[in-house]
Amino acid sequence: MATTVADDAASAGASNTPADNGPFRQRLLDGLAASITERGYRASTVADIVRHARTSKRTFYGQFSTKEQCFLELLHADVGKLAEDIRDAVDRDGDWQTQVRQAVEAYVDHIDAQPALTLSWIRELPSLDAAARPFQRRGMQLLTSLLMNLSDNPGFQTAGLPPLTRPKAVILVGGLRELTALAVEDGHRVREIVEPAVEASVALLGYRH
């Protein structure tokens, strides 16, 4: 494989994650995540972040120049963790349809832990200014590269299935994101998307089987 999840994650965060990632910085990231759960990203203020982080605005501005910068770093970390969760959950030597279910289950488990954060990633990130655009593209590249790599493992090779192309991986990721957003916005349990997500993924991955 030309790239790995770790390689893509490093690339995705290269321009967004500074060297100083000490305990105060992590507390502020956690503070923003808590505020997003409580109020949503747009309604969250720096005052909300430092309240949850139990620190001061001075500390915040010593770590981040803006709320948006904090948001982008938080999402970078979350998308990287999502990719790692999926990769670790999949038995690469197993039946390919079982792998699909494992990947979807890992995705849903991750989202279910912080659905408001995922909704902000899907809905709020695209509405930010142009500075957020490169991050959005790198996040998509990370997840699509993960799917392409997973579909090139022994389980898929045994079934005679070629790896996903980038366009089809984008379709899978984009469709799953939208399905997730609709479930969260409508107040449904995130786990309700497991079966339709598995069925759609199997259909797209296995149409040549």
Side-chain angles (χ1 to χ4, degrees), residues 140-190:
M140 176 62 78
Q141 181 180 13
L142 171 62
L143 295 177
T144 53
S145 293
L146 170 67
L147 294 186
M148 291 165 67
N149 288 340
L150 288 177
S151 68
D152 193 25
N153 68 36
F156 282 83
Q157 293 168 0
T158 298
L161 295 173
L164 272 177
T165 62
R166 179 79 61 182
K168 289 184 174 64
V170 170
I171 290 170
L172 267 182
V173 173
L176 191 55
R177 280 162 44 100
E178 184 63 22
L179 188 62
T180 301
L182 291 174
V184 175
E185 288 172 338
D186 293 343
H188 296 158
R189 293 174 59 249
V190 181

Side-chain angles (χ1 to χ4, degrees), residues 1-3 7-8 15 19 22 36 39 55 70 73 81 96 103 116-118 137 159 195 199-200 202 205:
M1 300 173 190
T3 61
D7 293 334
D8 287 332
S15 61
I36 289 172
R39 309 188 59 192
T55 186
C70 185
E73 187 168 321
K81 180 64 166 61
W96 71 274
L117 181 58
T118 300
R137 289 181 62 88
E195 293 307 321
E199 290 174 11
V202 167
L205 284 158

Side-chain angles (χ1 to χ4, degrees), residues 61-147:
Y61 287 111
Q63 297 288 331
F64 301 102
S65 58
T66 63
K67 181 183 80 167
E68 179 181 298
Q69 183 194 11
C70 185
F71 183 52
L72 292 178
E73 187 168 321
L74 174 64
L75 293 185
H76 161 67
D78 187 65
V79 172
K81 180 64 166 61
L82 170 61
E84 292 297 328
D85 287 349
I86 293 172
R87 186 195 65 180
D88 292 345
V90 172
D91 175 10
R92 302 172 68 87
D93 294 311
D95 173 76
W96 71 274
Q97 294 193 37
T98 300
Q99 290 191 47
V100 170
R101 180 169 294 277
Q102 290 169 337
V104 171
E105 292 275 3
Y107 170 86
V108 168
D109 286 346
H110 181 95
I111 301 310
D112 208 24
Q114 287 187 303
L117 181 58
T118 300
L119 186 61
S120 70
W121 167 45
I122 298 171
R123 295 293 194 235
E124 303 288 358
L125 180 61
S127 67
L128 299 183
D129 63 29
R133 208 80 35 84
F135 169 86
Q136 188 178 5
R137 289 181 62 88
R138 287 193 294 268
M140 176 62 78
Q141 181 180 13
L142 171 62
L143 295 177
T144 53
S145 293
L146 170 67
L147 294 186

